[in-house]
Amino acid sequence: QWFLDGVDTGLTGQTIDVDLPGDYTVSITSAAGCVSGPSAVHTVVESSVPVNPTYTVSGAFQDHQSIQVHVDGINPEAFEYSLDGGPWLANGGLFENVGPGEHVIVVRGACGNTGDVVVHLVNYPHFFTPNGDG
C-alpha cells in the first residue's frame, strides 16, 4: 500500500507510476496478513526536460573565460551540466576558467537531456611585434 505525504494513494504493487511530487512511503502486507511499518521516505520532485538553452560569456578575449548556461523548465535548480564530456555538475550552469576554443555543454534533468550547446570562446594575443620576432 503506497502513501503520499501520509495519505493512502489507493495504489498497490511493487512499483507505481506517479505524477505528483511529494514524500512517498509504502507498507507491505504479507500473505499471513502481517503489516509492516512505513518504509523510508521516497521523495519525488517535479521536473522537466531542460529547454531553450542559451548562454552568456564573461571575460571575452581573455585566457580564461566564464560561461553561464541559461535554460527553461520545471525545477531548473535540479538540472546538471557537463562541459566537454566531463563530469555532471550541479553548478547552476556556470563554468569558470574555460580556455579558448570550441566547447560542448549538455544539460540534463530527471526527464532527459537537451541538445548540445556549442560555445566558441575567442582569444587573441594582447601584444604584437612589428618585425614578428615575438
Side-chain angles (χ1 to χ4, degrees):
Q1 190 72 35
W2 287 89
F3 299 86
L4 170 58
D5 297 325
V7 177
D8 187 350
T9 63
L11 300 171
T12 60
Q14 291 181 349
T15 62
I16 59 172
D17 292 325
V18 298
D19 57 5
L20 295 174
D23 292 330
Y24 287 83
T25 56
V26 63
S27 291
I28 300 171
T29 304
S30 72
C34 297
V35 179
S36 72
S39 69
V41 173
H42 304 278
T43 301
V44 174
V45 178
E46 187 174 14
S47 187
S48 70
V49 173
V51 294
N52 302 323
T54 61
Y55 65 89
T56 54
V57 174
S58 300
F61 302 109
Q62 301 296 314
D63 290 336
H64 298 286
Q65 302 171 41
S66 296
I67 305 169
Q68 176 66 62
V69 179
H70 310 278
V71 291
D72 295 330
I74 298 171
N75 200 11
E77 54 276 356
F79 294 160
E80 294 180 317
Y81 303 82
S82 174
L83 174 67
D84 296 331
W88 290 101
L89 304 171
N91 64 358
L94 177 62
F95 295 94
E96 298 179 300
N97 298 318
V98 182
E102 181 179 283
H103 299 280
V104 178
I105 300 171
V106 179
V107 186
R108 75 176 177 188
C111 298
N113 294 355
T114 67
D116 297 343
V117 178
V118 179
V119 180
H120 296 275
L121 300 182
V122 179
N123 191 8
Y124 65 92
H126 297 275
F127 60 87
F128 74 97
T129 57
N131 64 359
D133 66 358

